[in-house]
Amino acid sequence: LVEKGARRLTLWYAGSPVRSFRVALGRSPVGPKQHIGDGRTPEGRYWIAGRNARSRYHRALEISYPSTSDRTTAWQSGREAGGQIMIHGLPKGADWIGKHHTGLDWTSGCIAVTNEEIDEIWELVSDGTPIEIRP
């Protein structure tokens, strides 16, 4: 579960929260993602669609964005929905920033945690796991 307003990602198991993390979001975090390049983090129900150990960030879990609804919304405004929305660590070489990265929203629409945190999430969350992103 990602709660954008609280800047929090919570891992759940068997109906109970087991671990929470502070996150940074897209540079324009208020409101759902409308189209490619808007800097917003999507809102809705998705799943973990894969993983990238060779990301330009320290590991990345791919989110199944865009949904059919996301594509339709973007298309109605004459734009593309975009993609490549992930939960990821810090950029390569920037691990020294650590938890201070949450001081501002800096991603292009992704959900960012520290490198240590993405390592933990990587081990605990399997592909196909549902993810809900709330306002």
Side-chain angles (χ1 to χ4, degrees):
L1 172 66
V2 175
E3 297 164 285
K4 289 171 48 175
R7 303 298 189 278
R8 180 175 50 230
L9 181 156
T10 304
L11 302 181
W12 291 73
Y13 180 76
S16 297
V18 294
R19 186 81 164 83
S20 289
F21 306 91
R22 282 266 312 136
V23 299
L25 302 170
R27 65 186 178 282
S28 298
V30 178
K33 186 162 192 63
Q34 299 291 310
H35 56 79
I36 191 169
D38 66 6
R40 292 183 178 176
T41 301
E43 295 175 1
R45 293 175 182 265
Y46 304 95
W47 65 89
I48 301 301
R51 46 193 70 227
N52 185 351
R54 293 191 171 105
S55 166
R56 65 183 210 152
Y57 301 96
H58 180 77
R59 292 185 168 177
L61 294 175
E62 300 166 6
I63 296 174
S64 64
Y65 175 89
S67 67
T68 302
S69 173
D70 296 321
R71 283 190 189 94
T72 300
T73 298
W75 179 82
Q76 289 173 340
S77 69
R79 304 215 173 167
E80 291 182 42
Q84 297 294 306
I85 301 297
M86 304 179 196
I87 301 169
H88 61 66
L90 301 173
K92 301 272 183 177
D95 55 329
W96 57 271
I97 296 171
K99 291 186 181 284
H100 299 291
H101 82 96
T102 61
L104 77 143
D105 292 311
W106 56 270
T107 76
S108 295
C110 294
I111 300 156
V113 294
T114 68
N115 292 352
E116 293 80 14
E117 291 167 341
I118 193 63
D119 287 342
E120 183 177 353
I121 295 166
W122 184 277
E123 295 300 321
L124 293 173
V125 176
S126 57
D127 292 356
T129 297
I131 177 170
E132 182 176 353
I133 305 172
R134 294 181 183 167

